[in-house]
Amino acid sequence: MNNQNGLRLQRKCAFSKIFTPLTLKLGCATFLMLTASSTFSASINCQNASQTDEKVVCGSVELSTLDEQLTKRYKVAIASNQAQPAKKFEIQRSQTQWLSQRKACHFSFDCIKTAYRKRINALIALSRTENAFSWGGNYRLTPSTSATRLGSARERQPIKVLSQTDVIFNGYPWFQIEINGQEAYQWGGIICDPHFANTTFCELSR
């Protein structure tokens, strides 16, 4: 079933509760059951999802996609720390804590989405094998060109990228970074990080 036909049937289903005969109601019930368990697939077993947060994820293409991304990042983080048992254990422990945090979101889409983004960024940092660097330029207290300037990076100065923000400027997002022992923000257009190849500028480094 293509998306357009699916949307038509969803509209019909919305009216079937009042106006349509039993056969259409049964057809709608089957359709809704299939879309809930198949169309919006996630790493969660959606057919057996019992928690509210799991059901919200299974019912959203966007959240299901984030769930798949997080699962992949978690596996990479574990694999890249096999030689460091203590760090591997910490990743596993923090993942359990994160699941509790997601559960606490209940049915809040925005809360769950934010939780996924933060955890994905954290897992990227934990599995980083290539060093990010700055092309130079100012780093600031908050993600804005008008924010307080904390310092200036030298060309190709190594940095640690902590997370990508939702603040976009001239086509690139701002990033939270660690530089010279302090946390700050720098614009993605003057950062190169292979783990954020689509949102930082690495062309000149190739």
Side-chain angles (χ1 to χ4, degrees), residues 2 19 96 142-143 151 153 165 167 177-178 182 185 195 205:
N2 60 40
F19 299 109
T96 300
T142 59
T165 76
V167 182
I177 66 171
E178 184 178 302
Q182 63 178 326
Y185 291 87
H195 287 272
S205 65

Side-chain angles (χ1 to χ4, degrees), residues 90-107:
E90 176 58 27
I91 294 171
Q92 293 170 327
R93 186 188 66 81
S94 61
Q95 183 72 4
T96 300
Q97 290 181 331
W98 177 82
L99 288 171
S100 297
Q101 292 170 2
R102 189 191 68 185
K103 184 178 179 180
C105 289
H106 300 294
F107 54 81

Side-chain angles (χ1 to χ4, degrees), residues 57-97:
V57 173
C58 290
S60 165
V61 173
E62 183 177 2
L63 293 180
S64 294
T65 300
L66 288 173
D67 188 65
E68 295 289 350
Q69 292 175 2
L70 186 144
T71 299
K72 292 177 182 178
R73 292 295 184 182
Y74 177 74
K75 290 178 179 178
V76 170
I78 291 294
S80 63
N81 288 282
Q82 288 291 348
Q84 303 181 64
K87 191 172 181 180
K88 178 182 174 182
F89 174 78
E90 176 58 27
I91 294 171
Q92 293 170 327
R93 186 188 66 81
S94 61
Q95 183 72 4
T96 300
Q97 290 181 331

Side-chain angles (χ1 to χ4, degrees), residues 134 136-145 147-154 157 159 174-187 190-191:
S134 172
N138 296 327
Y139 50 91
R140 299 182 180 275
L141 182 62
T142 59
S144 170
T145 55
T148 302
R149 175 182 173 276
L150 298 179
S152 181
R154 65 181 184 276
Q157 180 174 351
I159 61 173
W174 282 77
F175 287 83
Q176 184 181 23
I177 66 171
E178 184 178 302
I179 182 170
N180 295 331
Q182 63 178 326
E183 292 185 8
Y185 291 87
Q186 194 167 47
W187 178 54
I190 53 175
I191 291 174

Side-chain angles (χ1 to χ4, degrees), residues 23 41 55 59 68 76 89-90 99 133 153 159 161 170 192 196:
T23 52
S41 61
K55 292 177 181 179
E68 295 289 350
V76 170
F89 174 78
E90 176 58 27
L99 288 171
F133 63 86
I159 61 173
V161 174
N170 284 350
C192 173
F196 291 95

